[in-house]
Amino acid sequence: MVFLLASCQTVEPWERDRLAKQDMQLTPNVLDARLADQVFFSKEAASGGGASAGGGCGCN
Amino acid sequence: MGPKNQLTPLALLSAAALSLPAFSASQPTERVVSVNTSVYQEGDADAAEVVFGDLQRFRVKTNQFNLSAPIGRDWSMSLGYDNEAMSGASPWGTVAASDGSGDLIMSGASIDDSRNGVDVNLTRHWRGQSLGVSVGYSGEHDYHSRSLGLNYERDFFKQNTTLALSVSYSSDELTPTDAQLFQRLEKGSKHTRSFYASVNQLLSPVSMLSLGFGITKRIGELSDPYKLRDVRPGKRVERTLTANYRRYFDWQTSSLAVDYRYFWDSYSVGAHTLAMSWMLGDEAGMQWGPMLRYYSQSAAAFYTPWDRYDQLETIAQSSDFRLSTFGAVSYGLKARYRIGAVQISMQYERYDSGSGYALSSAKTEHPGLVDFEVLSLGAEYRF
């Protein structure tokens, strides 16, 4: 992590227009992400890896 | 540089401030209302591998709503609502087949249920940090879940680095239907605690990386009460390592997203998930792109290809296909079209699973492994 941070260039606020695009976000569409989480949670043993604190379901 | 491009530093800063990326702790600047409707359809079970029950598997219709908005100068909120209506048959158990594999015992197709879920989040923003609290509820006629979460984010190094921490707790109650008729568990509960930490780092004006670690502990009734013989340990500890990479290309104004997750738990399941998507086109107009996801898991330590009635009920066992060794490939297309403040989106995804896709070898393939398709249509309004 230290090497990663050391190798990064500082990105100034006025250089962030492309980083602000919808598809550059970790969750570009919150509804698509919720749907995918629900579908995969109900069919696979692995889940998690995100910060969401949503309720469980009887599907798994 | 022509007159059209002569922007003052103040104008540049203002434009940048209006479009701050969501992975900083900054207050959002826009109100966003979004709706989505989708149909999920599983492929039928193979008649040659079913000894009892219906072949028609699950179909789920989902309607979703989300509102997110800034409140005043220092607060923001979001409200999410999901409604699902599901019907179809699901595996009840497996029996040994003559060829050494297992055959399925399916339920009837009379399973008909609905789920309603709501999540509310309220976040306070300070200069370079934010603290949010969220509450959620999800209810089905035989399952109720209540959750509470806290999220903290802090920016460092001129907002080039963001640390995100979250904790959550959920309390679930199970009241299986026809419990006395089928001698099922009549009432049970389970409790889930989660912690997740991630560091988001801007690598350049066109790329960013996020690394995360999560741990989840589940305690309580973790067996499936609808299976004929399903005995799972009452405690499960899950861990995840995640890496998310985003890269923007001026060529075709496209964006590449790569997400990887490694999952391992106290059931001895290990799983890799790699998802990639590529969107082309200007977000002010038409965008489209393919997506691809690969998944592979190893079996739980107590997984058995068919139900073992010769074992005591105190010994852990499960023939649930979701605990078997298998892999899956899913692929699809998504498209979006923006007209002013409104964006219309469409997405199709197909999921194929099998033991042959797994990184580790399986002795037999579970006959309950499922293929499915999801088609969704959505709309978003920003103001």
Side-chain angles (χ1 to χ4, degrees), chain B residues 11 38 50 59 62 65 85 91 103 113 139 144 178 189 224 236 248 255 257 260 262 264 267 287 348 369 382:
Chain B
S38 65
V50 175
R59 177 183 177 87
T62 305
F65 168 85
D103 279 343
D113 200 1
H144 298 272
D178 298 326
S189 65
D224 187 333
R236 185 180 183 186
Y248 180 86
S255 305
Y260 171 76
Y262 179 61
W264 73 105
Y267 283 4
Q287 289 181 288
Y348 169 80
L369 288 175
R382 290 175 182 263

mmCIF file of all heavy atoms in Angstrom, chain B residues 11 38 50 59 62 65 85 91 103 113 139 144 178 189 224 236 248 255 257 260 262 264 267 287 348 369 382:
data_model
loop_
_atom_site.group_PDB
_atom_site.id
_atom_site.type_symbol
_atom_site.label_atom_id
_atom_site.label_comp_id
_atom_site.label_asym_id
_atom_site.label_seq_id
_atom_site.Cartn_x
_atom_site.Cartn_y
_atom_site.Cartn_z
ATOM 1 N N ALA B 11 -13.653 28.919 -12.696
ATOM 2 C CA ALA B 11 -14.666 28.134 -13.413
ATOM 3 C C ALA B 11 -14.291 26.668 -13.438
ATOM 4 O O ALA B 11 -15.144 25.779 -13.283
ATOM 5 C CB ALA B 11 -14.807 28.652 -14.846
ATOM 6 N N SER B 38 -37.404 -5.681 -13.382
ATOM 7 C CA SER B 38 -36.618 -6.764 -13.981
ATOM 8 C C SER B 38 -37.353 -8.097 -13.871
ATOM 9 O O SER B 38 -38.222 -8.281 -13.002
ATOM 10 C CB SER B 38 -35.249 -6.861 -13.308
ATOM 11 O OG SER B 38 -35.401 -7.232 -11.962
ATOM 12 N N VAL B 50 -34.639 -35.758 -12.066
ATOM 13 C CA VAL B 50 -35.610 -35.415 -11.024
ATOM 14 C C VAL B 50 -36.474 -36.647 -10.743
ATOM 15 O O VAL B 50 -37.098 -37.189 -11.651
ATOM 16 C CB VAL B 50 -36.490 -34.227 -11.460
ATOM 17 C CG1 VAL B 50 -37.580 -33.954 -10.432
ATOM 18 C CG2 VAL B 50 -35.633 -32.984 -11.660
ATOM 19 N N ARG B 59 -38.976 -18.045 -11.012
ATOM 20 C CA ARG B 59 -39.150 -16.840 -11.811
ATOM 21 C C ARG B 59 -39.405 -15.710 -10.813
ATOM 22 O O ARG B 59 -40.246 -15.850 -9.919
ATOM 23 C CB ARG B 59 -40.341 -16.997 -12.752
ATOM 24 C CG ARG B 59 -40.656 -15.764 -13.600
ATOM 25 C CD ARG B 59 -41.909 -16.036 -14.442
ATOM 26 N NE ARG B 59 -42.326 -14.882 -15.222
ATOM 27 C CZ ARG B 59 -41.854 -14.596 -16.427
ATOM 28 N NH1 ARG B 59 -40.960 -15.368 -16.997
ATOM 29 N NH2 ARG B 59 -42.287 -13.531 -17.071
ATOM 30 N N THR B 62 -39.033 -8.209 -10.188
ATOM 31 C CA THR B 62 -38.563 -7.253 -9.178
ATOM 32 C C THR B 62 -38.833 -5.817 -9.633
ATOM 33 O O THR B 62 -38.561 -5.464 -10.780
ATOM 34 C CB THR B 62 -37.048 -7.416 -8.951
ATOM 35 O OG1 THR B 62 -36.762 -8.775 -8.622
ATOM 36 C CG2 THR B 62 -36.558 -6.518 -7.821
ATOM 37 N N PHE B 65 -36.945 1.004 -6.378
ATOM 38 C CA PHE B 65 -36.979 2.474 -6.340
ATOM 39 C C PHE B 65 -35.825 2.955 -5.484
ATOM 40 O O PHE B 65 -35.473 2.328 -4.479
ATOM 41 C CB PHE B 65 -38.315 2.943 -5.730
ATOM 42 C CG PHE B 65 -38.345 4.396 -5.387
ATOM 43 C CD1 PHE B 65 -38.675 5.338 -6.360
ATOM 44 C CD2 PHE B 65 -38.033 4.838 -4.106
ATOM 45 C CE1 PHE B 65 -38.695 6.691 -6.043
ATOM 46 C CE2 PHE B 65 -38.056 6.189 -3.783
ATOM 47 C CZ PHE B 65 -38.391 7.113 -4.767
ATOM 48 N N ALA B 85 -41.646 -10.580 -6.502
ATOM 49 C CA ALA B 85 -42.700 -11.618 -6.528
ATOM 50 C C ALA B 85 -42.077 -12.837 -7.180
ATOM 51 O O ALA B 85 -41.614 -12.769 -8.314
ATOM 52 C CB ALA B 85 -43.895 -11.134 -7.327
ATOM 53 N N PRO B 91 -35.084 -27.149 -5.179
ATOM 54 C CA PRO B 91 -34.675 -28.475 -4.694
ATOM 55 C C PRO B 91 -34.944 -28.652 -3.201
ATOM 56 O O PRO B 91 -34.621 -27.782 -2.395
ATOM 57 C CB PRO B 91 -33.177 -28.501 -4.984
ATOM 58 C CG PRO B 91 -32.947 -27.478 -6.037
ATOM 59 C CD PRO B 91 -33.947 -26.405 -5.760
ATOM 60 N N ASP B 103 -29.726 -37.562 -7.732
ATOM 61 C CA ASP B 103 -30.951 -37.122 -8.406
ATOM 62 C C ASP B 103 -31.706 -36.180 -7.470
ATOM 63 O O ASP B 103 -31.608 -36.293 -6.249
ATOM 64 C CB ASP B 103 -31.832 -38.324 -8.762
ATOM 65 C CG ASP B 103 -31.363 -39.010 -10.046
ATOM 66 O OD1 ASP B 103 -30.603 -38.379 -10.804
ATOM 67 O OD2 ASP B 103 -31.743 -40.170 -10.272
ATOM 68 N N ASP B 113 -44.364 -16.468 -3.407
ATOM 69 C CA ASP B 113 -44.021 -15.607 -2.287
ATOM 70 C C ASP B 113 -43.687 -14.213 -2.798
ATOM 71 O O ASP B 113 -43.500 -13.998 -4.000
ATOM 72 C CB ASP B 113 -42.812 -16.206 -1.544
ATOM 73 C CG ASP B 113 -42.679 -15.664 -0.124
ATOM 74 O OD1 ASP B 113 -43.529 -14.840 0.278
ATOM 75 O OD2 ASP B 113 -41.730 -16.055 0.572
ATOM 76 N N GLY B 139 -38.935 -8.153 4.418
ATOM 77 C CA GLY B 139 -39.962 -9.059 4.923
ATOM 78 C C GLY B 139 -40.550 -9.969 3.859
ATOM 79 O O GLY B 139 -40.877 -9.528 2.756
ATOM 80 N N HIS B 144 -38.172 -12.519 8.198
ATOM 81 C CA HIS B 144 -38.123 -11.071 8.469
ATOM 82 C C HIS B 144 -36.708 -10.705 8.918
ATOM 83 O O HIS B 144 -36.127 -11.386 9.761
ATOM 84 C CB HIS B 144 -39.124 -10.690 9.559
ATOM 85 C CG HIS B 144 -40.538 -10.988 9.172
ATOM 86 N ND1 HIS B 144 -41.319 -10.101 8.480
ATOM 87 C CD2 HIS B 144 -41.284 -12.109 9.334
ATOM 88 C CE1 HIS B 144 -42.504 -10.640 8.241
ATOM 89 N NE2 HIS B 144 -42.501 -11.874 8.758
ATOM 90 N N ASP B 178 -45.883 -24.513 6.737
ATOM 91 C CA ASP B 178 -46.226 -25.941 6.857
ATOM 92 C C ASP B 178 -45.230 -26.679 7.763
ATOM 93 O O ASP B 178 -44.860 -27.834 7.498
ATOM 94 C CB ASP B 178 -46.257 -26.617 5.479
ATOM 95 C CG ASP B 178 -47.315 -26.007 4.584
ATOM 96 O OD1 ASP B 178 -48.371 -25.601 5.122
ATOM 97 O OD2 ASP B 178 -47.103 -25.925 3.363
ATOM 98 N N SER B 189 -33.919 -18.120 14.505
ATOM 99 C CA SER B 189 -33.367 -16.772 14.321
ATOM 100 C C SER B 189 -31.890 -16.866 13.970
ATOM 101 O O SER B 189 -31.238 -17.890 14.229
ATOM 102 C CB SER B 189 -33.544 -15.946 15.603
ATOM 103 O OG SER B 189 -32.782 -16.515 16.656
ATOM 104 N N ASP B 224 -31.010 -24.823 6.030
ATOM 105 C CA ASP B 224 -32.180 -24.492 5.211
ATOM 106 C C ASP B 224 -33.362 -25.323 5.708
ATOM 107 O O ASP B 224 -33.374 -26.545 5.563
ATOM 108 C CB ASP B 224 -31.870 -24.821 3.745
ATOM 109 C CG ASP B 224 -32.977 -24.357 2.807
ATOM 110 O OD1 ASP B 224 -34.137 -24.268 3.261
ATOM 111 O OD2 ASP B 224 -32.681 -24.082 1.630
ATOM 112 N N ARG B 236 -20.866 -19.235 11.296
ATOM 113 C CA ARG B 236 -20.131 -19.146 10.032
ATOM 114 C C ARG B 236 -19.391 -17.815 10.003
ATOM 115 O O ARG B 236 -19.996 -16.749 10.184
ATOM 116 C CB ARG B 236 -21.104 -19.226 8.855
ATOM 117 C CG ARG B 236 -20.425 -19.257 7.488
ATOM 118 C CD ARG B 236 -21.471 -19.348 6.392
ATOM 119 N NE ARG B 236 -20.870 -19.462 5.075
ATOM 120 C CZ ARG B 236 -21.542 -19.443 3.939
ATOM 121 N NH1 ARG B 236 -22.862 -19.288 3.962
ATOM 122 N NH2 ARG B 236 -20.932 -19.566 2.777
ATOM 123 N N TYR B 248 -10.498 5.150 -17.436
ATOM 124 C CA TYR B 248 -11.199 5.872 -18.491
ATOM 125 C C TYR B 248 -10.285 5.995 -19.704
ATOM 126 O O TYR B 248 -9.087 6.243 -19.566
ATOM 127 C CB TYR B 248 -11.596 7.262 -17.979
ATOM 128 C CG TYR B 248 -12.328 8.086 -18.999
ATOM 129 C CD1 TYR B 248 -13.713 7.967 -19.142
ATOM 130 C CD2 TYR B 248 -11.648 8.973 -19.823
ATOM 131 C CE1 TYR B 248 -14.389 8.711 -20.089
ATOM 132 C CE2 TYR B 248 -12.320 9.721 -20.772
ATOM 133 C CZ TYR B 248 -13.692 9.593 -20.895
ATOM 134 O OH TYR B 248 -14.351 10.327 -21.846
ATOM 135 N N SER B 255 -15.084 3.468 -20.673
ATOM 136 C CA SER B 255 -14.639 3.200 -19.295
ATOM 137 C C SER B 255 -14.564 1.698 -19.071
ATOM 138 O O SER B 255 -15.480 0.964 -19.443
ATOM 139 C CB SER B 255 -15.620 3.784 -18.280
ATOM 140 O OG SER B 255 -15.827 5.149 -18.509
ATOM 141 N N ALA B 257 -14.220 -1.279 -16.152
ATOM 142 C CA ALA B 257 -14.347 -1.592 -14.722
ATOM 143 C C ALA B 257 -13.941 -3.047 -14.512
ATOM 144 O O ALA B 257 -14.429 -3.935 -15.208
ATOM 145 C CB ALA B 257 -15.787 -1.384 -14.252
ATOM 146 N N TYR B 260 -12.562 -7.669 -8.571
ATOM 147 C CA TYR B 260 -12.163 -9.011 -8.144
ATOM 148 C C TYR B 260 -12.471 -9.183 -6.659
ATOM 149 O O TYR B 260 -12.295 -8.246 -5.861
ATOM 150 C CB TYR B 260 -10.661 -9.241 -8.380
ATOM 151 C CG TYR B 260 -10.186 -10.536 -7.758
ATOM 152 C CD1 TYR B 260 -10.484 -11.757 -8.359
ATOM 153 C CD2 TYR B 260 -9.500 -10.542 -6.541
ATOM 154 C CE1 TYR B 260 -10.102 -12.949 -7.768
ATOM 155 C CE2 TYR B 260 -9.106 -11.734 -5.950
ATOM 156 C CZ TYR B 260 -9.411 -12.935 -6.570
ATOM 157 O OH TYR B 260 -9.047 -14.117 -5.983
ATOM 158 N N TYR B 262 -11.957 -12.244 -3.505
ATOM 159 C CA TYR B 262 -11.643 -13.579 -2.985
ATOM 160 C C TYR B 262 -12.391 -13.753 -1.679
ATOM 161 O O TYR B 262 -12.357 -12.879 -0.809
ATOM 162 C CB TYR B 262 -10.133 -13.749 -2.764
ATOM 163 C CG TYR B 262 -9.814 -15.117 -2.210
ATOM 164 C CD1 TYR B 262 -10.134 -16.259 -2.925
ATOM 165 C CD2 TYR B 262 -9.228 -15.273 -0.959
ATOM 166 C CE1 TYR B 262 -9.887 -17.525 -2.408
ATOM 167 C CE2 TYR B 262 -8.964 -16.537 -0.432
ATOM 168 C CZ TYR B 262 -9.302 -17.657 -1.177
ATOM 169 O OH TYR B 262 -9.073 -18.908 -0.668
ATOM 170 N N TRP B 264 -13.405 -16.510 1.517
ATOM 171 C CA TRP B 264 -13.181 -17.798 2.191
ATOM 172 C C TRP B 264 -13.901 -17.778 3.532
ATOM 173 O O TRP B 264 -14.082 -16.712 4.125
ATOM 174 C CB TRP B 264 -11.685 -18.103 2.316
ATOM 175 C CG TRP B 264 -10.900 -17.312 3.311
ATOM 176 C CD1 TRP B 264 -10.446 -17.732 4.516
ATOM 177 C CD2 TRP B 264 -10.423 -15.955 3.172
ATOM 178 N NE1 TRP B 264 -9.721 -16.741 5.133
ATOM 179 C CE2 TRP B 264 -9.692 -15.648 4.347
ATOM 180 C CE3 TRP B 264 -10.549 -14.970 2.195
ATOM 181 C CZ2 TRP B 264 -9.099 -14.393 4.547
ATOM 182 C CZ3 TRP B 264 -9.959 -13.726 2.396
ATOM 183 C CH2 TRP B 264 -9.245 -13.468 3.557
ATOM 184 N N TYR B 267 -16.750 -22.608 6.663
ATOM 185 C CA TYR B 267 -17.314 -23.835 6.098
ATOM 186 C C TYR B 267 -16.303 -24.483 5.123
ATOM 187 O O TYR B 267 -16.630 -25.463 4.477
ATOM 188 C CB TYR B 267 -18.599 -23.538 5.320
ATOM 189 C CG TYR B 267 -19.833 -23.290 6.167
ATOM 190 C CD1 TYR B 267 -19.770 -23.259 7.558
ATOM 191 C CD2 TYR B 267 -21.070 -23.102 5.566
ATOM 192 C CE1 TYR B 267 -20.908 -23.024 8.314
ATOM 193 C CE2 TYR B 267 -22.215 -22.880 6.326
ATOM 194 C CZ TYR B 267 -22.124 -22.832 7.697
ATOM 195 O OH TYR B 267 -23.257 -22.615 8.445
ATOM 196 N N GLN B 287 -24.969 5.191 -24.668
ATOM 197 C CA GLN B 287 -23.855 4.374 -24.174
ATOM 198 C C GLN B 287 -24.254 2.909 -24.233
ATOM 199 O O GLN B 287 -25.417 2.567 -24.028
ATOM 200 C CB GLN B 287 -23.533 4.719 -22.711
ATOM 201 C CG GLN B 287 -22.883 6.060 -22.489
ATOM 202 C CD GLN B 287 -22.609 6.252 -21.016
ATOM 203 O OE1 GLN B 287 -23.534 6.463 -20.242
ATOM 204 N NE2 GLN B 287 -21.363 6.158 -20.627
ATOM 205 N N TYR B 348 -29.281 -6.947 -20.142
ATOM 206 C CA TYR B 348 -29.586 -8.376 -20.262
ATOM 207 C C TYR B 348 -28.371 -9.153 -19.793
ATOM 208 O O TYR B 348 -27.229 -8.836 -20.159
ATOM 209 C CB TYR B 348 -29.912 -8.748 -21.711
ATOM 210 C CG TYR B 348 -29.973 -10.247 -21.921
ATOM 211 C CD1 TYR B 348 -31.101 -10.973 -21.557
ATOM 212 C CD2 TYR B 348 -28.893 -10.944 -22.456
ATOM 213 C CE1 TYR B 348 -31.151 -12.354 -21.721
ATOM 214 C CE2 TYR B 348 -28.934 -12.319 -22.628
ATOM 215 C CZ TYR B 348 -30.063 -13.018 -22.257
ATOM 216 O OH TYR B 348 -30.101 -14.364 -22.409
ATOM 217 N N LEU B 369 -27.659 -27.477 -10.105
ATOM 218 C CA LEU B 369 -27.004 -26.247 -10.571
ATOM 219 C C LEU B 369 -27.886 -25.567 -11.605
ATOM 220 O O LEU B 369 -28.458 -26.211 -12.480
ATOM 221 C CB LEU B 369 -25.631 -26.565 -11.169
ATOM 222 C CG LEU B 369 -24.556 -26.958 -10.161
ATOM 223 C CD1 LEU B 369 -23.278 -27.367 -10.866
ATOM 224 C CD2 LEU B 369 -24.271 -25.818 -9.186
ATOM 225 N N ARG B 382 -32.222 13.108 -12.725
ATOM 226 C CA ARG B 382 -31.335 13.916 -11.877
ATOM 227 C C ARG B 382 -31.784 15.369 -11.898
ATOM 228 O O ARG B 382 -32.060 15.917 -12.958
ATOM 229 C CB ARG B 382 -29.887 13.849 -12.391
ATOM 230 C CG ARG B 382 -29.236 12.493 -12.186
ATOM 231 C CD ARG B 382 -27.852 12.416 -12.815
ATOM 232 N NE ARG B 382 -27.296 11.087 -12.619
ATOM 233 C CZ ARG B 382 -26.460 10.762 -11.642
ATOM 234 N NH1 ARG B 382 -26.054 11.688 -10.787
ATOM 235 N NH2 ARG B 382 -26.020 9.524 -11.521
#
